[in-house]
Structures are given as structure tokens and as C-alpha cells.
Amino acid sequence: MNILYYIIFALAYLISLLPFRVLYALSDFFYLIVYRLVGYRRRLVAKNLRDSFPEKSQDELNDIERKFYHWFCDYAVESIKLISISPESLMRHLVFTNTDAIHRLFAENRSVALYVGHYCNWEWITSLPLWFPSNERCYGQIYHPLENKTFDRLFLYLRQRMGSGCIPMAETMRRIWEYKSQGKLMMIGYICDQVPFWNNIHHWCQFLNHDTPVLTGTERIVRKYNHVPVYIDMKRIRRGYYEADMRIMTLEPKKLKEFEVTDIYFRLLEQSIRQAPQYWLWTHNRWKRTREEYNLRYDEATGRLDIVSSVEELRKRKAQPSHNI
């Protein structure tokens, strides 16, 4: 396993040393393979786009689809570039704005929860510690460990190279409690547009023309520890250059209604996507869990979810007449 890792790392490192113009030439070549030849998840992408933008013509949807695959290949080579890019260069390629507001929060002894989506190059957001240098604060991002240990190790290297630590999802609450008990301020990033597991669905919202189950764990942390939720509004200025505006969602999350912070995030993310839809991760099967299936799995008598049975079994069970008197 270690030998395989070092072989892959060496190859990726050599590729990362190439200048951006060469990397983007490789990206253009990969686009032909991924989109034209292999057609990676094209049916899913087409369905997601069609369902999300019913008001758009087929020509408009096709244009977004082509632009998405171009960007998707750019994202891949840009992520590899993280292996060797210098901090100074990365700060030129991704500029954070409204940082003064975040500095004021730190001065007021407030920790920050970053709400991030799979939009533009989210991997480069791990460069945030470069903009807020301090040994007295903890910087990190919540991540789901990959099953492939070799690639998991590689992505850990990429994501931690600029000073931001990776926190396994299962250890989130423990780590945050530890940082708080040590009296440290935090800036923790959460990618919040992922699909929750059935037993983690506690809220639904309207998102891109879908009735969407959403993760609410970040909001629970924000409300429990009174962290300030900040939305990363990322834009692609041109190829290889991004701008990320740090938008404070609320200064008093505890005063908002339950799930309101989550709803604000999804409204802001949808605004970003609608402005330039080609930069969201459309290959992600975001709407594979529906409310109809959730209702089939939910047992009102016990308040539990059946996450084992197939949909067909659940439908047959629901159709059976009740013998309760």
C-alpha cells in the first residue's frame, strides 16, 4: 500500500509541476475523453440539469452541460496543482474578500463555521489559513474518509498542505469540544450540500426546483457553540482564477428559528449556482433520496426508519391491510 501511494504521489507531483497553461491543455484533452468518448455520468448530469432548470431550452441545457465538463476537468488538474503550488501563487489564484469582517469576529472572540458547497474549486478553499495566519486558532474542514486508503492519504496531503487540518466526520463534535476546552478560536469548513443518510434526514427545503433532504448537523453545531455561520460565495473570474466572498449569514444564530440557518445557506448556494450553473458538481446524484421513499421507510408507530428493506418490499408492506382493532 505504501509503495503504491508513493508511486501515485510521485506521478501526481510531477504533473503538478507543469505550468497552468500545460495543465489546461491536458484538461482539454481529458474533456474529450471524459465527455465525448466515455460520457461519464452524462445521463445523470442531463437529468439533474433538466429537472433543476425546467425553464431553459434544450440548447441552453446542452451548453451548460458542455461547460460543466470543461470546468470539471479543470477542477481535476487544479486540485493536482495543490501538491506543489506555492502559498504565494495560490493566494493570487484564489482571492478571499470581506476578510476584514472575519478578523473583527476573531477580535470579538467569535469562532466561524464556513458553509461551503461543491461549487467552483472547493479544494482551494483549504488555503484560508494563509489569509488568517495565527498559531492560536484552529483551522480545519470536515471530511468523509475515502474507502481507498491510497487516495484518501493523497487527498489528506492536498487538503492539509496550506495549514488546514482534516477532521473525520465521525470525530466532528469531539474535536470541536476539544478546541473549545483549550480556549482556541476555530474556523471550520463544512461542505453542506451533500446527500444525508436516511437516518440523518431531519429537514427538507426547496433547492433547484427539488424537494431536497439536507444536512442539518452544521446548524446544530453553530447553534450549540454560537459560532458565526459564514457562506463562501465563490466565483470563477477566469480560467485558473477565483474570488471567494466571505458572507456572514447571521451574527446571532441562536435567535433564528430551527433550520433557518440551513435554509439561508441553500438559498445563497442556489443564487450562486443560477449565476453560473456550470461550476456546480452535477455528476453528484444529489436527489437520489426522495420524500416519497422517506415516507415509505418511516414507521409512524415506532418513529423509526427502515433503511434495509427495498422500496418494493416497503410498498407491499404499506399496501397490506391493517389488522389492528
Side-chain angles (χ1 to χ4, degrees):
M1 184 65 71
N2 286 335
I3 295 175
L4 179 60
Y5 168 75
Y6 288 117
I7 291 173
I8 293 176
F9 181 88
L11 290 173
Y13 183 81
L14 290 174
I15 294 172
S16 75
L17 293 175
L18 296 171
F20 272 104
R21 64 179 181 277
V22 179
L23 287 174
Y24 287 131
L26 288 174
S27 174
D28 292 339
F29 174 71
F30 293 148
Y31 162 78
L32 296 175
I33 296 175
V34 173
Y35 181 58
R36 298 295 185 184
L37 185 61
V38 178
Y40 174 68
R41 294 196 173 186
R42 280 190 65 174
R43 288 186 180 179
L44 176 62
V45 171
K47 182 181 186 305
N48 283 342
L49 288 172
R50 185 173 59 252
D51 293 345
S52 298
F53 305 111
E55 74 283 1
K56 293 186 181 296
S57 68
Q58 190 58 51
D59 286 342
E60 290 176 304
L61 295 175
N62 291 341
D63 183 58
I64 295 171
E65 181 180 301
R66 286 190 295 270
K67 289 178 178 177
F68 160 72
Y69 277 98
H70 268 297
W71 164 79
F72 183 64
C73 294
D74 282 358
Y75 157 78
V77 298
E78 288 172 358
S79 297
I80 292 174
K81 189 67 175 176
L82 270 177
I83 295 179
S84 63
I85 192 172
S86 69
E88 295 78 14
S89 179
L90 187 52
M91 291 179 76
R92 290 193 298 271
H93 283 269
L94 171 57
V95 175
F96 288 90
T97 60
N98 201 28
T99 54
D100 288 346
I102 309 304
H103 281 295
R104 287 195 294 272
L105 291 175
F106 286 143
E108 296 167 2
N109 207 37
R110 299 290 301 274
S111 288
V112 172
L114 299 173
Y115 275 74
V116 182
H118 287 95
Y119 189 74
C120 289
N121 195 324
W122 60 90
E123 299 291 353
W124 282 11
I125 294 175
T126 57
S127 64
L128 257 173
L130 302 175
W131 295 80
F132 301 93
S134 174
N135 293 324
E136 299 177 358
R137 294 191 286 266
C138 296
Y139 300 97
Q141 57 274 335
I142 310 303
Y143 87 108
H144 193 284
L146 301 176
E147 292 184 9
N148 186 301
K149 300 301 181 184
T150 298
F151 283 100
D152 184 61
R153 186 175 175 185
L154 180 62
F155 271 93
L156 282 175
Y157 179 85
L158 295 177
R159 292 166 177 169
Q160 296 183 131
R161 204 176 147 248
M162 297 298 165
S164 183
C166 285
I167 303 172
M169 191 178 296
E171 299 180 17
T172 303
M173 294 301 292
R174 181 177 66 82
R175 291 283 192 92
I176 289 176
W177 182 86
E178 287 177 356
Y179 296 152
K180 181 176 175 58
S181 65
Q182 293 167 6
K184 292 184 177 180
L185 294 176
M186 293 164 260
M187 179 184 281
I188 307 294
Y190 305 82
I191 296 185
C192 301
D193 58 349
Q194 301 181 77
V195 183
F197 293 112
W198 287 113
N199 52 3
N200 286 331
I201 296 176
H202 306 291
H203 182 57
W204 300 71
C205 72
Q206 279 297 312
F207 174 59
L208 290 172
N209 200 46
H210 291 81
D211 190 18
T212 307
V214 296
L215 291 169
T216 55
T218 304
E219 179 173 335
R220 288 198 297 273
I221 293 170
V222 163
R223 294 168 70 92
K224 178 179 177 65
Y225 294 102
N226 202 31
H227 290 178
V228 178
V230 173
Y231 173 65
I232 301 295
D233 185 11
M234 203 168 181
K235 293 180 174 65
R236 197 186 202 202
I237 307 304
R238 63 184 189 275
R239 205 173 196 184
Y241 290 87
Y242 298 88
E243 183 178 280
D245 188 36
M246 306 186 75
R247 300 177 59 178
I248 295 174
M249 297 159 67
T250 178
L251 290 172
E252 299 182 348
K254 290 186 176 182
K255 292 186 177 181
L256 299 184
K257 296 178 182 178
E258 187 178 17
F259 305 132
E260 191 171 351
V261 173
T262 301
D263 288 339
I264 292 172
Y265 161 72
F266 276 98
R267 285 199 299 271
L268 292 172
L269 178 60
E270 179 163 340
Q271 289 173 12
S272 298
I273 294 170
R274 288 190 176 276
Q275 289 174 1
Q278 63 268 31
Y279 301 135
W280 195 53
L281 190 62
W282 295 102
T283 51
H284 182 38
N285 195 3
R286 182 61 186 84
W287 293 285
K288 62 184 177 182
R289 307 200 205 286
T290 65
R291 194 188 290 261
E292 178 189 7
E293 186 175 348
Y294 178 87
N295 291 337
L296 283 173
R297 295 187 178 280
Y298 183 73
D299 188 332
E300 293 183 0
T302 63
R304 296 180 179 178
L305 283 166
D306 183 341
I307 60 175
V308 178
S309 303
S310 67
V311 173
E312 290 75 16
E313 290 175 324
L314 292 167
R315 285 195 175 118
K316 289 179 181 177
R317 198 178 305 164
K318 292 276 186 178
Q320 291 176 355
S322 175
H323 298 289
N324 293 335
I325 298 176

